[in-house]
């Protein structure tokens, strides 16, 4: 049977999987109050909040990518499904975080008195910058996602 | 002259019956992906070529046996009310399963037309279906349609008008093996002797008797020659006949399918690929949970600015009202009662709408049935199955439609348990109470507290199911089949419509029962308590212990005092039975939000209540007596006051115990102090 994926797919799944899992665990650690930063203020510079549930979601996304990586390494054709769904999930979470940012921004116009000294970057999250990776992925593989009426993935590679 | 006919739309769940119904009748209705939304009979009218058609949207069924309420409703309608024509809507991407129902409809001998729906999806998958050949094979008209976009509807209507004047029935198209045919013939002769049966299609009736259909056997028992029938049936083995009949039906279908279509199997479809991931043994449940988190997160943060807008608006409205109205008691009724009460409920509209919108997206995309599928394992641990999970999730919006959606559950005991536990799923109406209290007491952690309450609701529901299953509602596990419809990109219009259908209920409540509720509360808060000597609607007594409301509150206060609640909370809870949002509305009145610049949140946070009692109040609100509408629907669906009262007592008892333990233990160990 023809193989439906190549090195790019495998590398992407591994990279995204590791990044999402590690940063997700970092969220959880911050949420519990364990400092795992390598240097002073590392969490801040990576925009990582203490957020157990949000961290859990990133870890799950990472898990999906890693599962795909595992299956593709084993030569399972359908393993590529995990890559595609992982991309969709990470874009979904990116959208969620952007909506949260937008909601806060909007709110800061409506009740400015509650937002003195606040900056929009306070709501910037790893879910957003990690999503850029998936955005690149979906553009790279755009002919495999067809989003009209029905979701169809076409084989490639 | 116009002719009047009745057209019934039949078919499996989720094949697009309601979409086609809407496209034909033009009525605005719920279009969703929910197995079982079409539990009630929907009727509509359409005139086409001088024929006045009455269209009926039947519940979705996989077969016409008597295993579920839906199936009985659908088949009784066809047999008893004899529509002039039945249109079976078929999902072109799942022909085999859908055609099984066709074989049964054909035996009913009604005029049948097939609407081959979802042809766009079949095409996208790379399948090709030869409609002409299929039509010849089945000897019924087959029309290609795309229900969601109204494609092929005119052709379908044309076909109905043509078919209505043609004389033809489709009995006997399926020939079974010798033994079955022989017994069916014998039964047919007996049935022909008694005019009682002339009402039923005889071949179908005979086959159902042979399959051992209880509902049909019951009907046969009412006739004089039942003994003869029994004699024939005693010679046969219903179980093996049933299996053989089903087997032969499938064989015929497969033979036909090989000739009429070419199903593309050499690639995994998008739906299959997504399903591999979201129903994965390890990842399925975590993915579901993270999607729920996303839905809640968006609901809460994105709704905030809109809530603030509404808040500002009502603040302005109350101020304007008190400026304009010079009669002081009227100003108080309008300002403190109506505007403050309705305002404190309406402020949650953005939350409710956003949550419903998220749920609609999950339903309409097809994900929700996967959620039910992956939860099946968890559900079977408590003695229910995935099918019960769908109504429970729906309960996050409102428990009333959730309880109605239990009609798709075949087993009556499974259904009863699902109805009894459904009110524990935290509905949209309880959200305002949480948002208010969690916001006041837990600030930045409000999200986690609210999430925890939802989780507690589910936990209590599951544990209760397990308890009931092993004590008062014992029963066997029944096997079931759950169909996973293809994924679809939900349309914005569809999801908004869907959200609106449910959000409307909330709005109507705010304008109706809640308005009446808050006016009632205002009256009680303004009427002086017996013996207090105050004057009606004076500021001195309003909402205090010198008012009627205070009087009542103090009488019932001892009941809830061990939970850390004062008389104001006692009154709010009492009124909350009308609708749970009223807990917020009446607190608005009792804590005088209308008078005060400070909002209710600030008053509470400033110490009107302890955080621990606040948490207890949220838990109590979650679990105690459901609202009036919900009580009504429990009574209607269980058909029993006994079970309805049981639910009320059980829920309130649990609520009391939970809040009691929380408060007593919590205050001793200094929780949130
Ligand atoms: N792509 C596509 N979707 C459809 C078609 N017909 C209906 N749908 C969608 O299928 C889902 C279920 O439709 P619905 O009418 O509620 O099915 P019912 O349960 O049989 O009444 C909805 O999301 C519809 O928008 C169709 O022909 N093509
Ligand atoms: Mg329907």
């Amino acid at each position: 049977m023809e193989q439906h994926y190549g090195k790019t797919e495998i590398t992407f799944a591994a990279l995204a999987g590791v990044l999402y899992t590690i940063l997700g665990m970092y969220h959880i650690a911050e949420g519990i109050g364990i400092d795992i930063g390598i240097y002073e203020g590392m969490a801040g510079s990576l925009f990582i909040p203490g957020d157990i549930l949000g961290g859990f979601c990133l870890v799950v996304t990472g898990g999906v990518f890693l599962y795909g990586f595992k299956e593709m390494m084993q030569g399972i054709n359908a393993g590529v499904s995990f890559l595609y769904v992982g991309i969709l999930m990470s874009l979904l979470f990116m959208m969620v975080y952007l909506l949260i940012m937008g909601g806060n921004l909007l709110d800061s116009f409506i009740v400015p008195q509650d937002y003195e000294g606040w900056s929009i970057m306070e709501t910037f999250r790893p879910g957003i910058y990690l999503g850029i990776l998936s955005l690149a992925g979906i553009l790279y593989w755009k002919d495999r996602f067809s989003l009209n009426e029905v979701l169809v993935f076409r084989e490639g590679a | 002259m116009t002719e009047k006919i009745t057209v019934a739309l039949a078919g499996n769940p989720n094949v697009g019956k309601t979409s086609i119904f809407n496209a034909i009748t033009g009525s605005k209705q719920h279009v969703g992906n929910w197995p079982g939304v079409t539990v009630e009979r929907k009727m509509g009218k359409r005139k086409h070529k001088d024929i006045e058609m009455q269209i009926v949207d039947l519940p979705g069924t996989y077969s016409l046996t008597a295993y579920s309420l839906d199936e009985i409703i659908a088949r009784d309608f066809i047999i008893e009310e004899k529509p002039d024509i039945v249109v079976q809507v078929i999902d072109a991407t799942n022909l085999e399963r859908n055609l099984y129902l066709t074989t049964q409809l054909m035996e009913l001998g009604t005029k049948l037309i097939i609407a081959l729906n979802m042809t766009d999806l079949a095409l996208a998958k790379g399948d090709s279906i030869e409609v002409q050949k299929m039509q010849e094979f089945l000897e019924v008209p087959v029309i290609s349609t795309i229900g969601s976009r109204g494609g092929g509807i005119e052709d379908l209507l044309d076909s109905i008008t043509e078919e209505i004047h043609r004389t033809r029935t489709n009995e006997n198209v399926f020939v079974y093996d010798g033994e079955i045919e022989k017994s069916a013939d014998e039964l047919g002769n007996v049935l022909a002797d008694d005019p009682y049966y002339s009402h039923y299609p005889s071949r179908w009736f005979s086959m159902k008797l042979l399959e051992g259909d209880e509902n049909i056997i019951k009907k046969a028992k009412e006739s004089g020659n039942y003994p003869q029938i029994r004699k024939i049936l005693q010679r046969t083995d219903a179980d093996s006949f049933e299996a053989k009949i089903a087997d032969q039906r499938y064989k015929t279908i497969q033979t036909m399918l090989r000739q009429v279509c070419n199903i593309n199997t050499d690639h995994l479809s998008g739906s299959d690929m997504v399903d591999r991931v979201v129903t994965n043994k390890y990842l399925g449940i975590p993915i579901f949970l993270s999607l729920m988190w996303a839905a809640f997160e968006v609901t809460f943060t994105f709704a905030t600015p809109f809530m603030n807008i509404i808040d500002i608006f009502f603040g302005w409205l109350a101020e304007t009202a008190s400026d304009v109205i010079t009669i002081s008691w009227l100003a108080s009724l309008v300002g403190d009662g109506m505007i403050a009460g309705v305002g404190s409920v309406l402020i949650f509209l953005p939350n409710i709408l956003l949550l419903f919108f998220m749920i609609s997206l999950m339903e309409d995309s097809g994900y929700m049935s996967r959620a039910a599928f992956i939860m099946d394992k968890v559900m079977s641990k408590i003695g229910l199955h995935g099918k019960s999970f769908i109504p429970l999730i729906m309960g996050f919006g409102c428990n009333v439609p959730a309880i109605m959606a239990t009609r798709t559950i075949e087993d009556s005991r499974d259904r009863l348990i699902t109805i009894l536990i459904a009110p524990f799923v935290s509905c949209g109406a309880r959200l305002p109470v949480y948002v208010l209290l969690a916001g006041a007491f837990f600030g930045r952690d409000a999200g986690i507290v609210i999430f925890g309450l939802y989780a507690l609701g589910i936990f209590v529901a599951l544990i209760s199911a397990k308890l009931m299953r092993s004590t008062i509602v014992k029963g066997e596990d029944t096997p079931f089949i759950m169909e996973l419809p293809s994924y679809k990109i939900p349309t914005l219009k569809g999801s908004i419509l869907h959200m609106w259908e449910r959000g409307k209920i909330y709005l109507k409540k705010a304008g109706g029962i809640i308005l009446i509720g808050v006016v009632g509360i205002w009256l009680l808060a303004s009427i002086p308590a017996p013996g207090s000597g105050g004057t009606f609607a004076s500021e001195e007594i309003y909402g205090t212990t010198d008012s009627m409301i205070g009087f009542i509150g103090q009488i019932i206060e001892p009941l809830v005092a061990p939970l850390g609640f004062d008389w104001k909370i006692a009154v709010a809870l009492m009124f909350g039975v009308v609708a749970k949002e009223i807990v917020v509305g009446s607190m608005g009145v009792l804590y005088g939000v209308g008078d005060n610049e400070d909002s209710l949140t600030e008053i509470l946070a400033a110490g009107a209540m302890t955080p621990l009692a606040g948490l207890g109040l949220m838990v109590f609100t979650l679990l105690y007596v459901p609202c009036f509408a919900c009580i009504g629907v429990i009574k209607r669906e269980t058909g029993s006051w006994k079970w309805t009262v049981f639910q009320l007592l059980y829920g309130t008892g649990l609520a009391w115990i939970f809040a009691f333990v929380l408060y007593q233990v919590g205050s001793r160990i200094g929780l949130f102090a």
Side-chain angles (χ1 to χ4, degrees):
Chain A
M1 199 160 127
E2 183 198 354
Q3 193 149 331
H4 289 160
Y5 57 89
K7 282 209 177 64
T8 330
E9 281 83 353
I10 297 179
T11 318
F12 190 101
L15 182 69
V18 169
L19 285 175
Y20 269 91
T21 310
I22 291 181
L23 289 180
M25 295 199 316
Y26 202 167
H27 279 66
I28 298 173
E30 283 288 312
I32 302 171
I34 306 167
D35 188 20
I36 58 168
I38 300 166
Y39 57 87
E40 183 71 18
M42 176 164 158
S45 61
L46 288 173
F47 302 99
I48 290 174
D51 180 1
I52 298 173
L53 297 175
F56 169 78
C57 296
L58 294 189
V59 172
V60 172
T61 312
V64 171
F65 281 120
L66 290 179
Y67 204 93
F69 170 74
K70 186 197 112 201
E71 285 205 344
M72 286 190 278
M73 288 303 281
Q74 291 169 339
I76 300 171
N77 249 334
V80 74
S81 328
F82 288 84
L83 172 67
Y84 297 155
V85 173
I87 289 179
L88 292 179
M89 276 176 71
S90 50
L91 289 176
L92 186 103
F93 287 124
M94 181 182 186
M95 221 157 73
V96 167
Y97 281 113
L98 286 174
L99 279 175
I100 293 174
M101 267 179 112
N104 274 304
L105 189 66
L106 206 59
D107 202 36
S108 71
F109 293 129
I110 294 163
V111 280
Q113 64 277 18
D114 291 354
Y115 283 82
E116 269 162 43
W118 175 84
S119 128
I120 181 84
M121 287 313 279
E122 281 178 34
T123 48
F124 190 74
R125 293 284 175 268
I128 298 173
Y129 59 76
L130 286 175
I132 294 172
L133 188 66
S134 293
L135 214 51
I138 205 166
L139 287 178
Y140 183 76
W141 289 299
K142 66 174 177 299
D143 51 330
R144 301 203 205 152
F145 293 82
S146 131
L147 294 184
N148 42 30
E149 286 286 322
V150 55
L151 186 67
V152 184
F153 294 125
R154 294 191 193 84
E155 274 80 56
Chain B
M1 208 200 75
T2 53
E3 199 178 338
K4 281 191 179 156
I5 61 165
T6 310
V7 178
L9 289 175
N12 292 14
N14 273 310
V15 295
K17 293 178 300 300
T18 305
S19 306
I20 288 185
F21 174 81
N22 290 345
I24 295 178
T25 61
S27 76
K28 253 194 169 181
Q29 278 194 350
H30 174 101
V31 181
N33 223 341
W34 208 278
V37 161
T38 323
V39 268
E40 240 130 4
R41 199 159 95 190
K42 286 188 200 131
M43 308 265 237
K45 281 204 163 59
R46 172 71 186 254
K47 199 167 163 183
H48 187 78
K49 293 194 174 154
D50 261 358
I51 295 188
E52 173 108 14
M53 302 178 188
Q54 158 113 288
I55 319 280
V56 182
D57 186 11
L58 293 179
T61 58
Y62 292 114
S63 70
L64 293 178
T65 47
Y67 291 137
S68 80
L69 197 56
D70 283 348
E71 290 182 350
I72 295 176
I73 294 175
R75 100 177 179 190
D76 277 359
F77 182 81
I78 297 172
I79 304 167
E80 309 287 347
E81 312 209 7
K82 298 198 186 307
D84 298 282
I85 211 155
V86 174
V87 173
Q88 188 198 352
V89 182
I90 280 186
D91 176 353
T93 63
N94 204 342
L95 287 174
E96 191 170 329
R97 166 70 70 72
N98 280 259
L99 287 169
Y100 189 74
L101 179 64
T102 315
T103 63
Q104 303 202 325
L105 287 169
M106 284 173 149
E107 272 177 353
L108 276 179
T110 60
K111 280 188 176 168
L112 186 66
I113 293 182
I114 286 176
L116 189 64
N117 198 36
M118 311 252 179
T119 41
D120 54 334
L121 297 187
L123 213 63
K125 263 178 69 189
D127 301 347
S128 66
I129 300 165
E130 288 185 55
V131 173
Q132 190 56 39
K133 263 198 194 158
M134 193 163 155
Q135 193 158 305
E136 283 162 17
F137 209 107
L138 293 170
E139 297 178 28
V140 297
V142 178
I143 312 293
S144 298
T145 57
I146 303 175
S148 49
R149 282 188 270 138
I153 298 300
E154 288 299 310
D155 294 345
L156 183 61
L157 292 172
D158 285 347
S159 175
I160 293 173
T161 48
E162 271 169 40
E163 199 60 18
I164 206 76
H165 295 124
R166 203 182 327 227
T167 40
R168 163 168 94 185
T169 57
N170 302 89
E171 275 191 77
N172 285 323
V173 270
F174 291 90
V175 180
Y176 300 100
D177 90 13
E179 199 192 344
I180 297 175
E181 284 295 333
K182 203 177 122 246
S183 309
D185 274 350
E186 281 178 43
L187 281 173
N189 289 335
V190 178
L191 299 184
D193 286 344
D194 189 339
Y196 169 79
Y197 296 109
S198 63
H199 186 61
Y200 302 103
S202 117
R203 174 160 178 103
W204 178 80
F205 205 90
S206 318
M207 292 320 280
K208 285 288 148 194
L209 284 172
L210 289 173
E211 284 178 77
D213 186 301
E214 282 171 26
N215 193 279
I216 295 299
I217 291 179
K218 210 162 81 198
K219 284 188 173 139
K221 281 187 181 151
E222 282 163 30
S223 104
N225 57 7
Y226 179 67
Q228 276 166 276
I229 292 175
R230 201 177 54 195
K231 215 181 274 163
I232 301 172
L233 292 182
Q234 268 164 356
R235 279 195 283 114
T236 64
D237 171 7
D239 282 345
S240 90
F241 268 35
E242 190 181 3
K244 269 189 204 154
I245 290 171
D247 199 48
Q248 280 167 23
R249 282 187 180 141
Y250 271 120
K251 281 214 181 91
T252 316
I253 293 169
Q254 278 157 0
T255 316
M256 182 191 90
L257 284 182
R258 270 198 291 279
Q259 295 174 43
V260 305
C261 63
N262 182 3
I263 303 212
N264 187 349
T265 49
D266 60 289
H267 81 288
L268 273 176
S269 73
S271 286
D272 293 338
M273 290 177 96
V274 176
D275 280 344
R276 263 200 67 156
V277 182
V278 302
T279 62
N280 179 280
K281 186 157 66 163
Y282 308 107
L283 294 165
I285 291 179
I287 290 175
F288 169 68
L289 293 177
S290 59
L291 291 178
M292 289 311 275
W293 172 86
F296 278 90
E297 197 67 12
V298 170
T299 299
F300 292 118
T301 44
F302 202 66
T304 315
F306 301 99
M307 293 171 72
N308 279 326
I309 292 177
I310 297 177
D311 191 28
I312 292 169
F313 172 74
F314 275 98
W316 169 84
L317 202 63
E319 216 165 283
T320 314
S322 64
D323 285 352
V324 172
I325 306 172
T326 46
I327 309 163
S328 80
W329 70 265
L330 191 62
S332 162
L333 170 63
V334 175
D336 305 339
M338 291 157 84
I339 296 178
V342 173
S344 53
V345 168
L346 271 192
I347 191 171
F348 297 101
L349 191 63
N351 262 321
I352 306 269
L353 288 183
L354 270 170
L355 184 67
F356 282 158
F357 184 68
M358 303 289 155
I359 291 181
S360 299
L361 287 182
M362 289 200 200
E363 287 178 52
D364 295 350
S365 63
Y367 179 73
M368 210 55 120
S369 21
R370 271 72 182 182
F373 179 79
I374 54 175
M375 291 309 284
D376 189 49
K377 260 211 203 81
V378 179
M379 298 299 284
S380 70
K381 290 219 172 71
I382 58 158
L384 291 176
H385 46 60
K387 267 197 182 171
S388 299
F389 185 70
I390 299 179
L392 293 183
I393 284 277
M394 203 172 191
F396 285 129
C398 177
N399 295 160
V400 174
I403 289 171
M404 283 173 13
T406 60
R407 290 189 193 171
T408 47
I409 300 170
E410 278 106 38
D411 187 89
S412 61
R413 278 169 302 209
D414 283 2
R415 183 162 177 245
L416 177 62
I417 294 182
T418 313
I419 292 174
L420 294 177
I421 63 172
F424 296 129
V425 175
S426 193
C427 67
R430 279 167 259 191
L431 191 55
V433 185
Y434 308 155
V435 173
L436 172 77
L437 295 166
F441 297 120
F442 299 96
R444 248 185 319 138
D445 296 325
I448 293 191
V449 171
I450 293 172
F451 193 84
L453 284 159
Y454 278 84
L456 176 69
I458 296 167
F459 176 77
V460 169
L462 298 185
I463 294 294
S464 303
K466 178 85 189 163
L467 253 170
M468 291 177 196
R469 176 54 101 202
S470 48
T471 53
I472 46 179
V473 202
K474 289 203 181 104
E476 305 268 298
D477 259 7
T478 45
F480 83 111
I481 318 157
M482 188 144 51
E483 186 143 341
L484 301 178
S486 303
Y487 286 98
K488 297 169 194 78
I489 301 297
T491 60
L492 188 65
K493 190 177 147 219
S495 295
I496 287 182
L497 209 69
H498 203 147
M499 165 191 88
W500 183 240
E501 286 292 326
R502 294 171 182 167
K504 217 167 53 184
I505 302 175
Y506 185 82
L507 260 185
K508 267 199 198 133
K509 267 203 302 197
I513 200 157
I514 289 177
L515 186 61
I516 295 169
V518 291
V519 169
I521 293 166
W522 178 87
L523 273 175
L524 289 177
S526 303
I527 298 172
S532 75
T535 36
F536 175 70
S538 64
E539 267 191 40
E540 295 74 52
I541 70 150
Y542 183 74
T544 69
T545 46
D546 285 336
S547 69
M548 199 62 188
I549 210 165
F551 182 72
I552 299 173
Q554 284 177 319
I555 294 176
I556 56 175
E557 186 176 18
L559 286 177
V560 294
L563 318 180
F565 302 161
D566 62 8
W567 67 268
K568 291 184 184 183
I569 303 300
V571 171
L573 286 172
M574 194 175 85
F575 280 100
V577 180
V578 178
K580 291 200 172 178
E581 302 92 323
I582 290 192
V583 173
V584 171
S586 51
M587 280 169 71
V589 171
L590 291 164
Y591 287 102
V593 175
D595 276 343
N596 211 308
E597 285 291 287
D598 292 358
S599 73
L600 191 48
T601 314
E602 282 148 16
I603 294 176
L604 290 173
M609 219 177 156
T610 68
L612 192 59
L615 189 62
L617 179 54
M618 287 188 262
V619 171
F620 197 90
T621 308
L622 167 67
L623 301 175
Y624 88 124
V625 189
C627 67
F628 274 175
C630 195
I631 296 172
V633 81
I634 295 176
K635 162 69 181 64
R636 203 177 74 204
E637 299 299 312
T638 58
S640 138
W641 275 116
K642 194 186 92 195
W643 284 117
T644 311
V645 171
F646 169 79
Q647 207 293 329
L648 307 187
L649 294 180
Y650 177 75
T652 311
L654 271 186
W656 201 90
I657 294 169
F658 270 74
F660 178 78
V661 171
L662 185 71
Y663 187 71
Q664 295 301 332
V665 175
S667 50
R668 289 204 168 72
I669 62 172
L671 200 64
F672 307 123

